[in-house]
């Protein structure tokens, strides 16, 4: 059996930043990092627009408390204010630390780190590396993993989180190239497994964003928090769904409907194209629904032409390339077609501000931590502001590393029955290979993704959600009828796909069930039958527990501690832009 002090699952920004922090804090600790793809291929590498911090390089009026206020208001007051304070106070330091590691941020003429405007941020505070920020940061972090000699289990798929007697004890994983099973025990485990965009049929996320970590936590009996809050990014390139970064609007692009109008004037006059994402996505969906999509179609235009060729190629070269590559459109001369695309999961594994997972409200899970997009600490509440996610990964990734390095000092390796776990996992894979089903994985996945997209999209209501939940339960029952064409174990990607489909279905069901029970509209969760926010009943986090085949929904309170610092801004109030 493999044994480590700490095992990190996930090599994106959160996981690799945590590994770096552990190595810096106590280099005697035995740490390993597991990732189903090469760490550099984690979705973090695709992040484009930037990372927020009140550095005051462009805007000396900015400060952490205003950044915190923008975040809490953007979150429609559902964010935990203690967690937001940590995020925004530590932001400038983590950026400087990244710069010292060698991250190539774009510069102002005087050499300081440049900062651009971003949706929902009242000051110009988003640091960036052109529109390839994730690439720039992840490459530096992953090279640090090699520098600190962190063992990397690359192309290993984690299929079980072992939780016994109320504590996390280890993992079961299989090697994608060979099908070999390994059981690992550890004093503590960190999940940094990213998001679940692939639950839907159109997303900006990569193929590996299947919500595995969330599924494994739910299967181990942990609650998932605020899963009804799914972020739609306003500008997915139509029809492919790939992301056109908010940086494009940050640099001045306009959203235009069929009549040639900058329609955001009717939805968020003070912020226009730089309103928060939930509001901008609803505006685009409304324009399309009411027949003002371009040519009466299912998209609107993002127009960059007035920005001029030089600025477009210098500031947002990747967006320029994406439109040219996918659609043959040169945005210097033509507007590009866009519509909202599923982008980010606000919900996830609930944690303390020190990243330890919660087993229930007020009760931590021993041995288990989470950070990054799979966690819900919760700094994004009901709606995340652009450029706050990379920040969360770096701030809370480092924090998780520091907490873990402390936590394992006086903890022993737990007992794990290796033979039993290995036998169960091997039998499970053999059963998958042998099962005589009639359904292709791809067909069931597509049907499932279409169901989620039709029944839990930007606008929701009781009937749509209820029917969606029934359909999901029927699809779930058909999972046992999938058939693998490849019966071998070497590079059998169908085994991985079968496990990923289990994740999609588990996570998707929790999203819809949580959405059904929140009978109000808040942030990204918009109910046509309950159009108002209802603080009296719903200023609280949803906790969804999987119990056998059923789901149980519970709630926990929201932290409002910044109210004591600035009651005028941090007391929940109507959200206007
Ligand atoms: C196209 C795009 C652009 C974005 N742009 C920005 C931006 O400009 N600014 C911003 O703040 N945010 C942005 N975001 C959001 C941000 O990039 C992500 O939220 C963040 O990078 C997530 O990082 P992470 O470390 O939590 O997870 P990821 O980077 O997604 O990494 C997940 C890791 O978990 C591993 N993993 C998952 N499941 C398993 C398993 N079962 N077994 C083994 N390993 C597993 C994967 O291999 C991977 O290494 C963007 C997102 C997208 C999709």
């Amino acid at each position: 059996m493999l044994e480590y002090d700490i095992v990190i699952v996930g090599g994106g920004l959160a996981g690799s930043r945590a590994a770096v922090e552990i190595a810096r804090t106590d280099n005697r600790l035995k740490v390993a990092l597991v990732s189903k793809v090469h760490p550099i291929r984690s979705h973090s590498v695709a992040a484009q627009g930037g990372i927020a911090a009140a550095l005051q390089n462009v805007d000396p009026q900015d400060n952490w408390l205003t950044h915190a206020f923008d975040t809490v208001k953007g979150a429609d007051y559902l964010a935990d204010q203690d967690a937001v304070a940590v995020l925004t106070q530590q932001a400038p330091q983590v950026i400087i630390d990244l710069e010292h590691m060698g991250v190539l941020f774009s510069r102002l003429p005087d050499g300081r780190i440049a900062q651009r405007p971003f949706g929902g941020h009242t000051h110009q505070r988003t640091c960036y590396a052109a529109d390839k920020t994730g690439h720039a940061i992840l490459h530096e972090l992953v090279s640090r993993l090699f520098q600190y000699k962190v063992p990397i289990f690359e192309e290993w798929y984690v299929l079980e989180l072992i939780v016994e007697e109320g504590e996390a004890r280890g993992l079961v994983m299989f090697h994608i190239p060979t099908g070999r099973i390994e059981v690992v025990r550890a004093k503590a485990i960190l999940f940094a497994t990213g998001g679940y965009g692939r639950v839907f049929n159109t997303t900006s996320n990569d193929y590996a964003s299947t919500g595995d970590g969330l599924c494994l936590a739910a299967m181990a009996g942990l609650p998932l928090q605020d899963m009804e809050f799914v972020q739609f990014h306003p500008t997915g390139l139509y029809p492919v769904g790939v992301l056109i970064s908010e940086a494009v609007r940050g640099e001045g692009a306009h959203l235009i409907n069929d009549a040639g109008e900058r329609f955001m004037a009717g939805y968020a006059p003070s912020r226009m194209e730089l309103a928060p994402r939930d509001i901008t996505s609803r505006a685009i969906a409304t324009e399309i629904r009411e027949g003002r999509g371009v040519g009466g179609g299912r998209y609107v235009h993002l127009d960059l032409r007035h920005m001029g060729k030089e600025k477009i190629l210098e500031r947002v070269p990747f967006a320029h390339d994406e439109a040219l590559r996918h659609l043959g459109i040169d945005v210097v001369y033509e507007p590009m077609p866009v519509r909202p695309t599923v982008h980010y999961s606000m919900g996830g594994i609930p944690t303390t501000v020190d990243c330890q997972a919660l087993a229930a409200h007020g009760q931590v899970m021993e041995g288990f931590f989470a950070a990054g997009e799979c966690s819900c600490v919760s700094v994004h509440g009901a709606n995340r502001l652009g450029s706050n996610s990379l920040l969360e990964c770096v701030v809370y990734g480092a924090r998780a590393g520091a907490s873990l390095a402390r936590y394992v000092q006086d903890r022993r390796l737990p007992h794990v029955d290796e033979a039993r776990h290995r036998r169960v996992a091997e039998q499970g894979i053999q059963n998958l290979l042998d099962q005589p089903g009639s359904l292709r994985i791809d067909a069931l996945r597509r049907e499932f993704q279409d169901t989620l997209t039709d029944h839990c999209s930007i606008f929701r209501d009781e009937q749509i959600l209820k029917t969606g939940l029934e359909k999901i339960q029927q699809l779930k029952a058909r999972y046992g009828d999938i058939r693998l064409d490849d019966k071998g174990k070497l590079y059998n990607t169908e085994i991985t796909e079968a496990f990923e489909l289990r994740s999609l279905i588990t996570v998707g069901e929790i999203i819809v069930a949580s959405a059904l029970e929140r009978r109000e509209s808040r942030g990204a969760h918009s109910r046509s039958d309950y159009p108002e926010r209802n603080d009296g009943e719903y200023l609280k986090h949803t906790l969804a527990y999987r119990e056998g085949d059923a789901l149980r929904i519970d709630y926990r309170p929201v932290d409002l501690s910044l109210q004591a610092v600035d009651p005028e801004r941090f007391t929940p109030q109507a959200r206007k832009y």
Side-chain angles (χ1 to χ4, degrees), residues 302-545:
L302 184 64
D303 195 348
L304 288 73
R305 289 174 294 183
H306 56 281
M307 288 162 55
K309 184 171 182 175
E310 199 179 321
K311 185 170 176 185
I312 292 172
L313 294 184
E314 186 202 320
R315 302 283 177 84
V316 289
F318 189 65
H320 175 269
D321 294 353
E322 288 283 87
L324 201 57
R325 191 156 62 88
H326 290 284
L327 304 178
I329 288 178
D330 184 342
V331 295
V332 173
Y333 307 106
E334 273 179 273
M336 66 172 121
V338 293
R339 61 170 287 136
T341 186
V342 169
H343 186 58
Y344 185 80
S345 29
M346 266 74 74
I349 301 163
T351 70
T352 65
V353 286
D354 290 319
C355 307
Q356 189 166 3
L358 298 182
H361 177 55
Q363 185 194 333
V364 293
M365 168 65 75
E366 294 303 336
F368 189 48
F369 291 69
E373 189 167 341
C374 73
S375 71
C376 184
V377 55
S378 137
V379 290
H380 310 300
N383 174 62
R384 168 175 80 91
L385 293 189
S387 70
N388 266 352
S389 170
L390 293 183
L391 179 63
E392 178 191 11
C393 288
V394 185
V395 167
Y396 281 96
R399 219 173 151 81
S403 305
L404 281 158
R406 272 196 310 273
Y407 182 82
V408 296
Q409 297 296 337
D410 40 36
R411 205 172 142 81
R412 292 207 194 134
L413 275 173
H415 170 74
V416 168
D417 181 346
E418 183 197 8
R420 181 169 60 84
H421 286 287
R422 180 186 293 278
R423 203 171 47 242
V424 171
E426 281 172 351
Q427 193 58 55
I429 290 185
Q430 199 55 49
N431 291 349
L432 258 180
L433 293 173
D434 293 344
Q435 109 190 359
S438 59
L439 260 178
R440 302 292 302 262
I441 296 174
D442 175 56
L444 185 59
R445 184 175 56 217
R446 214 162 339 118
E447 206 177 322
F448 175 79
Q449 290 168 326
D450 287 344
T451 305
L452 249 286
T453 308
D454 291 347
H455 289 273
C456 204
S457 192
I458 294 182
F459 295 106
R460 306 158 172 187
D461 67 34
E462 192 88 8
Q463 199 46 50
I464 289 179
L465 290 166
K466 261 195 181 142
T467 321
L469 200 54
E470 282 161 18
K471 286 189 185 167
I472 290 169
Q473 278 150 3
Q474 288 158 12
L475 292 171
K476 198 162 88 172
R478 285 163 59 198
Y479 182 76
D481 193 30
I482 54 175
R483 183 190 76 235
L484 275 59
D485 289 332
D486 185 349
K487 303 294 182 195
K489 288 207 175 135
L490 295 184
Y491 261 115
N492 185 345
T493 50
E494 281 188 310
I495 299 176
T496 316
E497 285 180 42
F499 282 117
E500 288 179 338
L501 180 57
R502 175 184 76 173
S503 303
L504 297 180
I505 295 177
T506 306
V507 170
E509 184 182 15
I510 294 174
I511 293 172
V512 179
S514 305
L516 187 59
E517 293 305 318
R518 186 174 282 277
R519 294 183 175 83
E520 65 156 355
S521 290
R522 181 187 298 272
H525 175 65
S526 184
R527 293 271 309 237
S528 324
D529 46 352
Y530 298 95
E532 301 299 325
R533 194 175 89 195
N534 179 351
D535 284 345
E537 281 182 78
Y538 287 107
L539 183 57
K540 55 190 182 187
H541 298 293
T542 307
L543 292 180
Y545 296 81

Side-chain angles (χ1 to χ4, degrees), residues 9-15 34-39 41-52 118 133-134 138 156-159 192-195 204-206 208-213 216 243 245 277 343-344 371-374 384-391 393:
V9 186
L13 241 59
V34 185
S35 175
K36 65 178 177 176
V37 299
H38 187 286
R41 294 194 57 220
S42 304
H43 187 58
S44 294
V45 82
Q48 301 176 10
I51 176 166
F118 237 71
T133 312
L138 191 61
W156 281 83
Y157 185 98
V158 174
L159 49 93
T193 49
S204 65
N205 289 189
D206 76 358
S209 298
T210 48
D212 300 340
L216 298 180
L243 186 75
S245 172
R277 291 178 176 170
H343 186 58
Y344 185 80
E373 189 167 341
C374 73
R384 168 175 80 91
L385 293 189
S387 70
N388 266 352
S389 170
L390 293 183
L391 179 63
C393 288

